[in-house]
Amino acid sequence: ESDFFLNRRIFFQSKIVSRRYEKDRLISQLQLQSIKNQLDPHFTYNALNAVGSLIYKGEKELAYQYLRGLTDLLRMVSADSSQVTWTLEEELEFVNRYLEIEKLRFKEKFIYSVKVEKDGLKTSEVPKMSILSFVENAIKHGLRHKDYDRFLEIEVISLNKGIKILIRDNGIGRAAAEKYRDEDSGKDLKMMKQYFRQFNEATGRKAHFRVKDLFEYDLKPSGTVVEITIL
């Protein structure tokens, strides 16, 4: 086989491989977008429920502040609805706004903390609304069922080739939360697992998460921690 025909064959084979890769990447992006679109209404539904609850209790001024904050959040989400990733800084800004709204709901009975080991980590790429989803779950399933001393901490630390995000809460724990769970509770984690899997396929990154229970010295449940690793 002459060099000419060999080179031509290699050229066309590389074009086929390139097109196949681009097709797979596009499919992954569309799947990731589809999952994110399921997360957005879930967040909105929870927030509107909170507004409705405040109005029902007669706390109209608080409900107005909550609704105004929610409007700002939705504006951030819809700014680029096709965007499935953004920087850690953008994600944390979104989460901070969300937590400020939750402070309105719980008043002085809820405090939170956000720590980032190095400012340079804030440019890291993360799945859009991924931290928010776990923060929502911590509040919905763990912290909401406490009467006082609600605390949530987000900590970002650097790894050799990536970042680790820790989301800790001092809620009632997963075992106690089982009696409050609804049909969507199990779906949330399944959706997040799929979301992370598609994020990896679309970006070539290695991101995963795990949820662990926290205990006091006497083995009494003292909350949960979510560990997100992105390499």
Side-chain angles (χ1 to χ4, degrees):
E1 188 173 8
S2 69
D3 289 344
F4 173 77
F5 288 107
L6 178 61
N7 290 336
R8 292 278 291 178
R9 189 173 70 176
I10 293 173
F11 172 76
F12 284 115
Q13 286 176 338
S14 65
K15 291 287 286 184
I16 292 172
V17 171
S18 176
R19 286 173 182 169
R20 185 176 301 160
Y21 169 79
E22 184 61 26
K23 180 182 177 182
D24 291 343
R25 188 189 66 79
L26 180 59
I27 291 173
S28 292
Q29 286 280 11
L30 291 173
Q31 290 173 329
L32 184 60
Q33 177 64 35
S34 175
I35 297 167
K36 189 189 78 65
N37 287 340
Q38 294 177 60
L39 293 174
D40 292 0
H42 181 258
F43 157 73
T44 307
Y45 175 78
N46 287 343
L48 289 176
N49 265 351
V51 173
S53 176
L54 289 171
I55 294 174
Y56 179 77
K57 294 175 182 177
E59 301 182 65
K60 295 181 180 180
E61 179 61 31
L62 196 57
Y64 172 74
Q65 293 180 49
Y66 199 111
L67 193 58
R68 188 171 59 183
L70 174 60
T71 302
D72 290 339
L73 288 177
L74 293 178
R75 188 179 296 115
M76 291 178 68
V77 172
S78 61
D80 186 356
S81 59
S82 65
Q83 187 180 1
V84 293
T85 68
W86 58 6
T87 65
L88 174 66
E89 183 173 26
E90 291 172 306
E91 176 78 5
L92 290 180
E93 180 186 355
F94 191 91
V95 171
N96 265 302
R97 287 173 179 260
Y98 172 79
L99 289 172
E100 282 299 310
I101 289 176
E102 291 293 37
K103 281 188 69 175
L104 287 173
R105 181 156 67 115
F106 292 121
K107 299 179 181 177
E108 73 281 355
K109 297 179 181 179
F110 173 61
I111 59 174
Y112 71 92
S113 169
V114 179
K115 303 174 184 176
V116 181
E117 184 182 17
K118 301 175 183 176
D119 281 343
L121 300 181
K122 294 180 179 179
T123 60
S124 301
E125 185 181 34
V126 300
K128 191 173 184 179
M129 297 182 70
S130 55
I131 298 176
L132 173 77
S133 298
F134 290 114
V135 167
E136 270 192 287
N137 275 340
I139 293 173
K140 178 182 177 182
H141 301 300
L143 297 174
R144 185 179 63 173
H145 304 295
K146 294 188 68 174
D147 295 327
Y148 60 92
D149 189 31
R150 299 181 180 96
F151 178 71
L152 184 138
E153 178 186 52
I154 300 171
E155 183 180 10
V156 184
I157 58 178
S158 60
L159 299 176
N160 186 30
K161 294 183 179 180
I163 61 173
K164 176 173 285 189
I165 304 162
L166 302 171
I167 305 165
R168 301 186 188 90
D169 70 75
N170 69 340
I172 61 176
R174 288 190 293 175
E178 280 298 322
K179 63 180 179 181
Y180 300 106
R181 290 182 179 273
D182 52 32
E183 293 182 0
D184 291 331
S185 298
K187 295 179 182 178
D188 293 342
L189 283 181
K190 289 181 180 179
M191 187 186 299
M192 290 308 298
K193 288 178 180 178
Q194 188 180 357
Y195 191 34
F196 273 63
R197 184 163 56 248
Q198 295 299 337
F199 170 81
N200 292 341
E201 292 180 7
T203 64
R205 306 290 296 276
K206 293 181 180 179
H208 61 87
F209 70 89
R210 63 175 179 168
V211 184
K212 299 195 303 184
D213 296 295
L214 298 175
F215 298 92
E216 295 178 356
Y217 64 91
D218 57 355
L219 298 183
K220 180 181 178 181
S222 60
T224 59
V225 57
V226 178
E227 297 183 359
I228 302 174
T229 303
I230 303 178
L231 303 174

